[in-house]
Amino acid sequence: MSGPGVVVRRAPGKLFVAGEYAVVDGGSPAVLVAVDRYVTVTLTPRQVPGVEISSDLGPAGSTWSWAGTRLIPAPGTDPAVEGRLAHVRSAIETVAGLLAARGRGLPGCHLAVTSTLHEGGTKYGLGSSGAVTVAAIDALCAFAGLDTDAEQRFRLALLATAALDPRASGGDLAASTWGGWVCYQAPDRAHLARLAARDGVAAALTAPWPGLGLRTLTAPAGLDLQVGWTGRPASTAALVAGLDAASWRGGPAHERFVTATNDCVRALVAALDGGQAAGVLQQVDAAGRQLAVLDEQVGLGVFTPALRALVEAARQAGGAAKPSGAGGGDCGIALLAAGAPHSRAWLHRAWNRAGVLPLPLKVAATIAR
Ligand SMILES: Nc1ncnc2c1ncn2[C@@H]1O[C@H](COP(=O)(O)OP(=O)(O)OP(=O)(O)O)[C@@H](O)[C@H]1O
Ligand SMILES: C[C@@](O)(CCOP(=O)(O)O)CC(=O)O
């Protein structure tokens, strides 16, 4: 779609390479990679004030009006629709908060979302919530004539996310904002959410964000990244909440997990920096084994039978593999070195036999402007 005043922005999905769960606590880095499937957001000017939102997940056109910087759904809007549009709504309200500090409002518009991060409405686990937030913030800023750089858009996306769920690390947002391979460390999201609620988005945006760390990394040469989808969606929020419910959190096993995972991620970054493929494989394998220990101790259900089979087959092929993200379904990753005992085709056949669908994904290039 194009036309006067129409803005189109897209953001890629992501995979967790190492550091999931540990990254939720401040001070722990994670490595993520952006993939070449996208959420696209199109903004079209509309004469009527307020926002009309359409998503490929439905509905086709739901109308929202402003109460200050809060969006109010039209009377009779299905609560399920409100849930499905929660990330888009939070992104719009966040940009509206920034505009309000400059004495402006968001002009009337239609916001449309399309995504290749789900299959007929079933998510792959490639970070569609993060990608839709990043794409929407980018499109809304451009539509409103706000000149922003990548870090400002990332911060706005994290404020929008933290308003919904301060536990979410924002690793997905970092990968979707910068593209390519990234090393990310999360700031204190609960503090930022409180700051934004108390002092406004503009103040929170420019405040210091202690703990935030972001570095783009060089992709490992000579390693083939493969992705397998279990076909089963998992709830990241429920899995992370499971950790809070268990007595594991705050105890010695938790501390050991975080320390060991931090060691893996730091060694992984060093191996990536040094172009050492063998070191990359070793650390991805080690990070996956730490997740398995966590899973055994807490009984979270990170490793489903399909994810176990995905990892086992990749090890037999001579590679390293692990779930990507919270696990419980969604997808897993494997890295194969050139000259591995078994080929990519062999791995795909083994995955198919185990009910794991190989996804033809490539790394999305570093994109931040
Ligand atoms: N096409 C879309 N249109 C509008 N909102 C979307 C779209 N895709 C995702 N979202 C938002 O993201 C939410 C899904 O987030 P969820 O964390 O369950 O999936 P994910 O981010 O793809 O997976 P994961 O967190 O495992 O990587 C939806 O409820 C909705 O709020
Ligand atoms: C468990 C966690 O570290 C990763 C979740 O990854 P995913 O959304 O399930 O791909 C949570 C988070 O980083 O917010």
Side-chain angles (χ1 to χ4, degrees):
M1 194 192 295
S2 65
V6 176
V7 171
V8 184
R9 292 288 188 274
R10 67 176 193 173
K14 66 87 188 71
L15 294 160
F16 261 93
V17 179
E20 50 273 88
Y21 288 106
V23 72
V24 173
D25 300 320
S28 291
V31 171
L32 298 100
V33 64
V35 294
D36 64 346
R37 289 210 187 203
Y38 300 86
V39 171
T40 302
V41 170
T42 303
L43 273 165
T44 311
R46 208 164 153 254
Q47 295 314 314
V48 196
V51 185
E52 187 181 54
I53 308 174
S54 297
S55 160
D56 59 350
L57 296 177
S62 88
T63 48
W64 300 68
S65 54
W66 290 109
T69 57
R70 304 292 297 174
L71 276 177
I72 308 297
T77 300
D78 182 348
V81 166
E82 284 191 51
R84 214 173 303 136
L85 298 181
H87 288 87
V88 169
R89 177 189 191 173
S90 195
I92 301 170
E93 290 178 343
T94 301
V95 172
L98 184 59
L99 287 169
R102 300 173 188 200
R104 296 174 50 198
L106 185 73
C109 56
H110 177 256
L111 185 155
V113 185
T114 57
S115 167
T116 54
L117 297 178
H118 61 80
E119 171 101 21
T122 305
K123 68 162 180 148
Y124 292 117
L126 293 171
S128 61
S129 52
V132 78
T133 306
V134 169
I137 292 284
D138 195 0
L140 286 156
C141 287
F143 184 76
L146 291 169
D147 190 21
T148 55
D149 62 18
E151 179 161 347
Q152 287 166 328
R153 291 195 300 277
F154 165 79
R155 286 184 176 218
L156 289 167
L158 190 54
L159 290 173
T161 302
L164 295 176
D165 178 9
R167 261 189 298 219
S169 69
D172 51 356
L173 305 172
S176 292
T177 300
W178 277 277
W181 289 66
V182 297
C183 179
Y184 171 75
Q185 198 171 299
D188 182 342
R189 288 87 66 210
H191 162 73
L192 292 170
R194 280 193 301 272
L195 195 61
R198 196 191 64 199
D199 298 343
V201 171
L205 182 65
T206 50
W209 284 33
L212 171 63
L214 188 285
R215 248 192 81 196
T216 56
L217 300 167
T218 307
L223 288 180
D224 182 15
L225 175 66
Q226 291 299 308
V227 185
W229 182 43
T230 64
R232 197 180 121 177
S235 164
T236 304
L239 282 150
V240 173
L243 278 186
D244 289 342
S247 56
W248 179 88
R249 187 168 264 296
H254 177 198
E255 199 175 307
R256 277 196 299 277
F257 168 76
V258 170
T259 305
T261 301
N262 287 350
D263 288 348
C264 285
V265 175
R266 292 198 177 107
L268 171 63
V269 170
L272 286 164
D273 285 346
Q276 296 148 359
V280 173
L281 288 180
Q282 193 187 336
Q283 298 309 330
V284 168
D285 181 69
R289 289 181 196 275
Q290 287 306 322
L291 279 180
V293 172
L294 160 70
D295 203 19
E296 244 164 60
Q297 287 170 339
V298 186
L300 262 192
V302 173
F303 282 81
T304 61
L307 284 170
R308 255 186 226 110
L310 175 152
V311 171
E312 202 38 53
R315 284 186 187 147
Q316 280 174 27
K322 57 181 277 302
S324 161
D330 290 335
C331 52
I333 59 160
L335 285 166
L336 286 179
H342 290 296
S343 65
R344 177 201 298 177
W346 182 95
L347 178 65
H348 286 183
R349 282 194 297 276
W351 279 359
N352 277 316
R353 279 196 301 277
V356 173
L357 185 72
L359 295 180
L361 301 178
K362 290 198 175 56
V363 174
T366 302
I367 47 171
R369 282 158 281 137

